[in-house]
Amino acid sequence: MGTINQQAMDQLHYVTELTDRIRAKSSPEQNEVEDSADFVSFFPDFVWTLRDFSLDLDIDGKSVSADEYLANSLKLVPGTSHKEKNFNLPRICIRKFFPKKKCFVFDRPAHRKKLGQLETLHDDELDSEFVKQVAEFCSYIFNSSKTKTISGGIKVNGPRLQNLVLTYTNAISCGDLPCMENAVLALAQIENSAAVQKAIACYEQQMNQRVQLPTDTLQELLDLHRACEKEAIELFIKTSFKDIDQEFQKELAAQLERKRDEFCTKNMKTSADRCSALIQEIFSPIEEGVKQGIYSKPGGYGSFTQKLQELKKKYQAEPGKGIQAEEILQQYLESKQDVADALLQTDQTLSEKEKEIEVQRVKAEAAQASAKMLEEMQRKNEQMLEQKEKSHQEHVRQLTEKMEKERKELVAEQERVIALKLQEQARLLKEGFQSESRQLHNEIQHLQKRLSSPKLCVIS
């Protein structure tokens, strides 16, 4: 269209029906109605282009820019008759819903005789002023256009747009009004669920790449878990949004804890299997000796215990046994205690007193070993509790950082909207429209109140 007149405005009648065709919130708060700020936060900027523009850009004989021409065309006229209301309504809606506006005018691209050949013309064959205007328009669009977002500043990519379109069309098909808040929450359910699965897959992949089972200590495994967990949480935080009450992050924490326990169980089993194989291999000579009765003779008990200590040292010197090394060894030694007791009691080279002393020594060693294992078990429990607390703190830290970043972005966006609304309020006041100015003032106050009362979220 070549000019901005009432006919052009009438063709934009859909602007006056925006609040009738779409809702920003599913249920406005008590005594609250949806205002234009609810829509401005996710509506695009307004760009009006005028092709084949033949008028001079001037107002009352004064040369003006294209933006000033648009602003003048959007001025309201006083009066309350049906005619004035019809004239003002689309202009009011454009000014309220699209506080940031831009206008571009384009001359005819070429001489009238060449208009039918436009697709084959080179730039140097086009009107130089038109080429300049197109370059300015493209520069503005490429440099100033924002990524499409939904309420909350959430950027919309291809898959998100697909889900939103499906949500809107389903609502329309059911005879309902599409609601941005409901659409965003439905989208969040889909994406956050996927974000949890992506984070878990990331964790498992990293753990499988980094962990060599069995680990020498539990702490070694927990340190690797913590590093992989951190990456998983980062991925979830990056890909999730609108996680009401941190429902999905709590689910992620629970799944990560289960995965950690699975790795711990696998680590213990791998260690136990490795140690059992070593026991069978290293202690086979003493097993054969017992079967052959080598130790069932005078002095045999001393030879048996000496060989047992020798093989025990050999076992302890073996690397890569993992966290079950001591427990598996003690289980084996306990299983041989009946054999040792029998050899002790039948060894004729030992007096009853020496046998009693040896019995007490063995009991003391067993008690010491048991106490050591109990202490180790207590230490492992403390490490697990400490790790659980560290995991919780990592979730809280990353969530807090994300919330702070989102808060700053939200504040910046709302301050931008407030600034634009204040400018519009000033223009309305200057034009003498007190009622519209007061309505906009109320919207600004409501937005400022919302800005000053941020919501807090905590992972329990």
Side-chain angles (χ1 to χ4, degrees):
M1 55 187 71
T3 59
I4 301 177
N5 53 27
Q6 190 57 34
Q7 181 183 358
M9 287 290 175
D10 291 340
Q11 291 175 352
L12 290 178
H13 65 87
Y14 68 89
V15 178
T16 66
E17 303 171 358
L18 282 172
T19 55
D20 297 325
R21 301 296 181 184
I22 187 171
R23 288 183 297 166
K25 295 182 178 181
S26 58
S27 54
E29 298 172 12
Q30 188 176 6
N31 299 325
E32 177 193 346
V33 295
E34 290 190 318
D35 60 41
S36 58
D38 295 323
F39 296 92
V40 168
S41 63
F42 59 85
F43 274 7
D45 293 337
F46 187 93
V47 179
W48 195 320
T49 59
L50 299 168
R51 63 182 179 83
D52 299 338
F53 192 74
S54 57
L55 300 178
D56 291 330
L57 285 177
D58 66 69
I59 300 173
D60 298 331
K62 180 182 177 183
S63 179
V64 295
S65 66
D67 290 340
E68 290 171 327
Y69 171 73
L70 173 61
N72 185 69
S73 301
L74 294 176
K75 281 186 175 181
L76 308 182
V77 297
T80 57
S81 70
H82 183 71
K83 181 180 179 180
E84 280 88 17
K85 284 182 178 180
N86 284 342
F87 180 91
N88 288 337
L89 183 57
R91 290 169 171 81
I92 290 174
C93 290
I94 291 174
R95 291 170 66 159
K96 285 180 62 178
F97 291 119
F98 304 98
K100 185 177 181 181
K101 297 174 285 292
K102 188 73 178 172
C103 182
F104 290 92
V105 297
F106 298 96
D107 292 342
R108 280 192 175 186
H111 189 274
R112 180 175 57 81
K113 293 182 179 181
K114 293 184 178 181
L115 292 179
Q117 311 166 24
L118 285 179
E119 292 186 4
T120 61
L121 295 179
H122 297 288
D123 283 0
D124 57 1
E125 298 176 277
L126 298 172
D127 183 85
S128 59
E129 188 64 23
F130 173 80
V131 173
K132 179 183 176 183
Q133 291 165 344
V134 169
E136 291 174 352
F137 171 76
C138 291
S139 175
Y140 177 83
I141 295 299
F142 291 139
N143 296 322
S144 301
S145 295
K146 298 177 294 183
T147 303
K148 182 175 179 60
T149 61
I150 50 182
S151 55
I154 309 301
K155 294 182 179 179
V156 178
N157 54 24
R160 287 177 178 174
L161 180 60
Q162 178 189 24
N163 285 318
L164 285 172
V165 170
L166 288 173
T167 303
Y168 296 152
T169 54
N170 288 339
I172 294 170
S173 298
C174 295
D176 298 328
L177 287 180
C179 174
M180 177 58 71
E181 184 179 46
N182 288 344
V184 171
L185 291 178
L187 180 61
Q189 290 284 321
I190 296 171
E191 296 234 344
N192 291 345
S193 180
V196 171
Q197 298 311 311
K198 288 179 183 177
I200 292 298
C202 170
Y203 172 81
E204 289 183 317
Q205 180 185 31
Q206 292 299 315
M207 285 291 284
N208 288 327
Q209 288 177 355
R210 299 183 190 186
V211 177
Q212 296 295 324
L213 299 179
T215 58
D216 291 333
T217 64
L218 174 62
Q219 191 60 53
E220 180 185 343
L221 179 63
L222 293 180
D223 288 343
L224 289 169
H225 158 77
R226 188 179 180 191
C228 296
E229 178 187 54
K230 181 181 178 183
E231 291 187 22
I233 297 172
E234 285 175 353
L235 178 60
F236 172 81
I237 291 291
K238 181 180 178 181
T239 54
S240 65
F241 66 96
K242 294 285 183 182
D243 186 9
I244 307 300
D245 296 328
Q246 286 68 59
E247 173 189 352
F248 288 93
Q249 191 164 359
K250 290 173 184 175
E251 173 60 25
L252 173 64
Q255 288 198 36
L256 285 172
E257 187 172 338
R258 287 195 292 270
K259 291 295 179 182
R260 179 205 65 194
D261 291 345
E262 287 176 11
F263 272 99
C264 287
T265 300
K266 188 177 180 180
N267 190 38
M268 291 174 66
K269 185 179 184 306
T270 305
S271 174
D273 292 345
R274 162 77 172 151
C275 293
S276 296
L278 279 175
I279 290 285
Q280 188 174 2
E281 176 187 344
I282 292 173
F283 288 86
S284 60
I286 205 169
E287 295 287 346
E288 285 299 317
V290 170
K291 288 180 182 179
Q292 296 173 12
I294 294 175
Y295 306 110
S296 301
K297 59 184 180 180
Y301 176 77
S303 299
F304 176 80
T305 55
Q306 183 179 353
K307 187 65 175 178
L308 201 61
Q309 290 300 317
E310 176 188 323
L311 297 178
K312 181 179 174 182
K313 288 180 181 178
K314 183 178 180 181
Y315 168 83
Q316 290 173 333
E318 283 288 332
K321 296 188 296 296
I323 62 176
Q324 293 295 97
E326 191 63 28
E327 185 173 338
I328 298 299
L329 175 61
Q330 290 304 315
Q331 288 176 3
Y332 175 77
L333 294 177
E334 288 174 9
S335 72
K336 296 294 125 187
Q337 193 56 50
D338 288 343
V339 175
D341 290 343
L343 292 174
L344 175 62
Q345 296 305 321
T346 58
D347 194 332
Q348 298 176 357
T349 62
L350 298 174
S351 66
E352 291 302 319
K353 182 65 174 176
E354 288 174 325
K355 290 179 181 179
E356 181 62 28
I357 292 173
E358 181 63 15
V359 168
Q360 296 303 319
R361 184 191 68 79
V362 170
K363 286 184 178 180
E365 280 189 358
Q368 185 179 7
S370 179
K372 184 178 178 181
M373 287 181 60
L374 190 62
E375 182 181 339
E376 179 64 17
M377 188 181 298
Q378 178 66 26
R379 191 167 68 86
K380 288 179 180 178
N381 288 337
E382 290 174 356
Q383 287 176 332
M384 293 296 285
L385 288 173
E386 182 181 352
Q387 177 57 49
K388 187 174 183 179
E389 178 59 25
K390 286 180 179 178
S391 294
H392 176 74
Q393 292 302 326
E394 183 63 29
H395 277 278
V396 171
R397 182 187 69 79
Q398 292 203 34
L399 176 63
T400 302
E401 288 179 359
K402 180 181 182 179
M403 289 175 62
E404 179 60 19
K405 180 182 177 182
E406 289 179 345
R407 187 193 67 81
K408 288 180 179 179
E409 291 174 350
L410 180 61
V411 167
E413 174 62 21
Q414 290 186 336
E415 286 179 344
R416 182 187 74 86
V417 172
I418 289 173
L420 292 170
K421 281 182 171 288
L422 285 170
Q423 293 174 14
E424 179 61 21
Q425 183 195 12
R427 283 192 289 268
L428 288 170
L429 201 58
K430 184 178 180 181
E431 294 171 21
F433 293 91
Q434 303 288 339
S435 176
E436 288 78 2
S437 176
R438 280 194 300 272
Q439 183 180 349
L440 200 53
H441 175 72
N442 292 335
E443 290 185 12
I444 293 170
Q445 282 193 322
H446 175 67
L447 195 56
Q448 289 173 330
K449 182 180 178 181
R450 189 189 302 175
L451 187 63
S452 63
S453 56
K455 296 181 180 178
L456 298 176
C457 296
V458 179
I459 296 181
S460 57

